[in-house]
Amino acid sequence: MPTTTDDKKYASVHYNDYLQLHKVLDAQYPRSEELGVEAHDEMLFIITHQAYELWFKQILHEMDSLMQMFRQNSIDEKSISTAVARVERINEILKLLVRQIRILETMSPLDFLDFRNYLLPASGFQSFQFRKLEALLGLRTEGRITYGQKDYKEPFAERQRKELEAIEAEDSLLQLLEKWLERTPFLEVGDFNFLKAYAKAVRNMYEREKAAILATDIDDEHKQLRLRMLEANQAYFKNVFSPEYHQQLLDEGKLKLSYKATMAALFINIYRSEPILQMPYRLLAALVEMDEWLTNWRYRHAQMILRMIGKKMGTGGSSGYDYLKKTAEKHHLFFDLANISTLLIPCSEKPELPEELKQRLGFYFTANQP
């Protein structure tokens, strides 16, 4: 009797076959063992990095889903909820990757030196999956710290280089997020103009804080110090109200998100308790957290390298610790979202929304509805 599709669908499967364990568990080949000078800790080194690559694969799987959602011209509430779940899952994986460094650090520097020379010129720089993740998030060639004046795509095969070039030619997650934020419809509704209302709230906050400083029972020197600090903050707020100044910072590479997208992110943060904005706020917060964990991972990686080889050159030809430390400092992708915190004002100061807008941001039902 012929086998049907349903028969195949529900046929029994063995645990080992389902997980392809014959491939996974037979993929560790310590070079020190091949050379007849077995170094015990090389197995730990291999398995740890293989685990990293498996988790990178899962992160890329989540990223593919995110990119598909945000490429749509219209994203509904349900999709934002799914996007939040995807990013939060990535963040949990990144936390695990940071903790995994501690397992690798159970290997002493001397144990690592037993097999390090056998790795040349292999290097983490050759992790195609991690470079692909960076490119998908929005790290472009011109924004990267290089080593030896080499293009980051150089270590890869032609097919992989072309894939990275194709990714850079398309919108990154950062760019797709920018377009999504720019479509935020609530910045102007009827007579309500968010930027004008926000600017007025900032002025009121400044006047109250200034009055509080002047009324405080401290000496004139400390009063003047606090007033100068307040003026410095006020100058920052004034710059925020200038699209031209914002564009200047974009041109200088100091910002990444457009003025409209930044103001939309500010609106979402200030009114995050409104029902329709709760998921968008969680998404922005999760992306900031993702950036933090990626930075944390880079920094912990750099610290581990310092512990293991000091200031020696990396196996891939980089300066090792110094290079990795610089990437942790510079390769931030969503810092514009994190910087929104600078612009936040106390809840007691935020402008009151008109009733029409509150209804659009909430879930209102009349008594006549079933």
Side-chain angles (χ1 to χ4, degrees), residues 146-254:
T146 60
Y147 65 97
Q149 303 302 312
K150 296 179 181 178
D151 188 302
Y152 82 101
K153 296 185 285 294
E154 187 177 307
F156 303 112
E158 183 179 0
R159 176 184 58 80
Q160 293 173 321
R161 289 198 298 270
K162 286 183 177 179
E163 186 174 347
L164 291 171
E165 288 169 1
I167 290 172
E168 290 207 18
E170 298 288 335
D171 284 340
S172 66
L173 181 61
L174 180 63
Q175 291 167 315
L176 293 172
L177 178 78
E178 178 183 62
K179 291 179 179 179
W180 172 70
L181 285 169
E182 288 176 342
R183 295 195 297 267
T184 299
F186 307 117
L187 299 182
E188 285 191 58
V189 176
D191 295 332
F192 177 76
N193 181 293
F194 168 65
L195 288 180
K196 290 181 180 179
Y198 172 72
K200 182 179 179 181
V202 169
R203 288 194 297 271
N204 291 340
M205 180 181 68
Y206 168 76
E207 293 299 333
R208 273 193 280 272
E209 290 181 355
K210 182 178 179 181
I213 292 172
L214 293 173
T216 302
D217 188 18
I218 55 175
D219 59 68
D220 287 342
E221 182 180 350
H222 284 90
K223 278 186 180 180
Q224 291 305 314
L225 175 62
R226 294 190 181 190
L227 287 172
R228 286 195 295 271
M229 292 171 63
L230 182 61
E231 287 293 340
N233 288 339
Q234 186 66 6
Y236 181 83
F237 277 107
K238 286 178 181 177
N239 289 334
V240 168
F241 300 126
S242 170
E244 294 76 20
Y245 180 68
H246 189 97
Q247 185 59 50
Q248 179 184 329
L249 295 179
L250 284 171
D251 295 339
E252 294 172 359
K254 295 178 180 178

Side-chain angles (χ1 to χ4, degrees), residues 65 179 225 242 307 336 350:
S65 171
K179 291 179 179 179
L225 175 62
S242 170
R307 178 178 181 272
D336 290 42
K350 69 181 181 182

Side-chain angles (χ1 to χ4, degrees), residues 41 48 98 105 112 117 120 161-162 191 193 204 353:
D41 281 7
T48 302
V98 172
E105 287 178 332
F112 182 45
N117 286 341
L120 299 172
R161 289 198 298 270
K162 286 183 177 179
D191 295 332
N193 181 293
N204 291 340
L353 296 174

Side-chain angles (χ1 to χ4, degrees), residues 138-146 256 330-332:
L139 186 58
R140 296 303 190 228
T141 300
E142 62 273 13
R144 288 178 179 271
I145 295 175
T146 60
K256 293 183 181 295
K330 185 176 180 181
H331 288 178
H332 293 274

